Amino acid sequence: MKRLVALFILLFFFTLNSSSQVFKNLNLALKGGASLPVMEFAEKNLDKGSFALTGFHFAAEINASVNNNFIAFIESGMTLNPIDVGYLGYEKVKADPFLSDVYIRSDAFQVVHLLAGPGYQHIINNKFKLIGKAGAGLFFSSTPYQLYKPEYFLLGPPYYEITPSRDVSFAYSAALFFIYNANPYYQIGISTGIKRSKASFDFYSGSNLRTEVRNITILDLSLTLILRLYDSTIQ
């Protein structure tokens, strides 16, 4: 998998370098904002749900305009989504007839992403433009560390913990940006995008192995700052 990541990055920069004689500008985009879990990732059930709540994300992106319309980009960032421990505890109690109550402390669900792909920009006027992007790459996902303190009707352990499980999985994305051109050197904007992946997490209990498959779908709402690193039209 590490070789795949390296090949992925090298392929992007080879493509970018091959186009270096024709691309018009090179930009650094910094963005952050709310991260909303959707679909199965937001569900609150023990079978397929992850009990994820709205969190936050931040990312950095390098993009290059090949011409007036087409761009190429590579992006890396992190998303943190807290867990709804109240509803998780409720579902745990409902599923176990011997459990009367449970206290749960949980870290956030963590996703680090690496994505690259093409984009298309539509110039509205000299101040505003729309950009649509589609990407593919990898999710480096980690389930949260969780500490359980259960109360049983009879006897049971005073506490137990679930340690994080990690997976690397294929991911894809789509995003839409509305950009304001403040001056030749920086731009600001708002964006929305969706990222999706299917990850498999292994958990060990004694000598037993349990694998849980989780669909991770994240809707991002972001504020974006774009810094112009190179512009062929500015001397």
Side-chain angles (χ1 to χ4, degrees):
M1 187 59 71
K2 291 181 179 179
R3 292 181 180 179
L4 179 61
V5 175
L7 179 61
F8 181 77
I9 296 172
L10 288 173
L11 180 61
F12 174 83
F13 280 109
F14 175 78
T15 303
L16 194 61
N17 185 64
S18 298
S19 305
S20 61
Q21 301 303 316
V22 295
F23 70 66
K24 298 185 65 175
N25 55 60
L26 186 66
N27 305 303
L28 170 65
L30 304 173
K31 61 181 181 177
S35 170
L36 286 70
V38 293
M39 302 174 66
E40 304 96 322
F41 193 44
E43 288 184 8
K44 294 176 172 57
N45 63 73
L46 299 176
D47 294 328
K48 296 181 180 180
S50 295
F51 298 86
L53 296 173
T54 298
F56 68 93
H57 73 279
F58 54 91
E61 172 191 307
I62 294 290
N63 64 65
S65 296
V66 179
N67 55 39
N68 286 334
N69 297 116
F70 291 98
I71 66 172
F73 77 93
I74 185 167
E75 173 190 309
S76 182
M78 175 182 288
T79 302
L80 296 171
N81 289 97
I83 303 300
D84 189 342
V85 293
Y87 216 106
L88 175 60
Y90 169 77
E91 290 294 322
K92 291 283 188 179
V93 170
K94 190 170 68 172
D96 188 344
F98 299 103
L99 187 63
S100 63
D101 199 4
V102 62
Y103 164 81
I104 305 172
R105 186 179 70 80
S106 177
D107 292 342
F109 197 106
Q110 177 180 300
V111 174
V112 174
H113 67 267
L114 178 64
L115 299 165
Y120 182 86
Q121 57 185 358
H122 171 67
I123 309 299
I124 300 173
N125 54 41
N126 62 345
K127 286 293 185 181
F128 295 98
K129 63 181 175 181
L130 286 172
I131 302 177
K133 298 176 183 177
L138 299 172
F139 267 16
F140 303 84
S141 309
S142 177
T143 62
Y145 168 84
Q146 294 178 337
L147 176 66
Y148 287 75
K149 293 184 177 180
E151 295 179 8
Y152 291 94
F153 288 111
L154 300 174
L155 296 177
Y159 71 92
Y160 63 92
E161 59 184 4
I162 299 178
T163 55
S165 178
R166 297 174 176 83
D167 188 38
V168 180
S169 55
F170 172 77
Y172 53 94
S173 68
L176 182 65
F177 293 73
F178 181 70
I179 303 298
Y180 170 69
N181 187 24
N183 62 45
Y185 303 102
Y186 74 91
Q187 303 166 332
I188 56 176
I190 57 175
S191 66
T192 181
I194 192 164
K195 304 189 292 284
R196 182 169 172 84
S197 183
K198 178 183 286 188
S200 298
F201 301 104
D202 293 333
F203 297 92
Y204 292 89
S205 178
S207 59
N208 298 321
L209 171 64
R210 183 182 85 257
T211 300
E212 295 186 1
V213 177
R214 289 288 182 262
N215 290 307
I216 305 170
T217 310
I218 303 168
L219 177 66
D220 294 331
L221 303 174
S222 310
L223 294 175
T224 304
L225 172 65
I226 302 173
L227 304 175
R228 184 63 49 85
L229 302 180
Y230 165 78
D231 192 330
S232 62
T233 64
I234 300 176
Q235 301 300 325

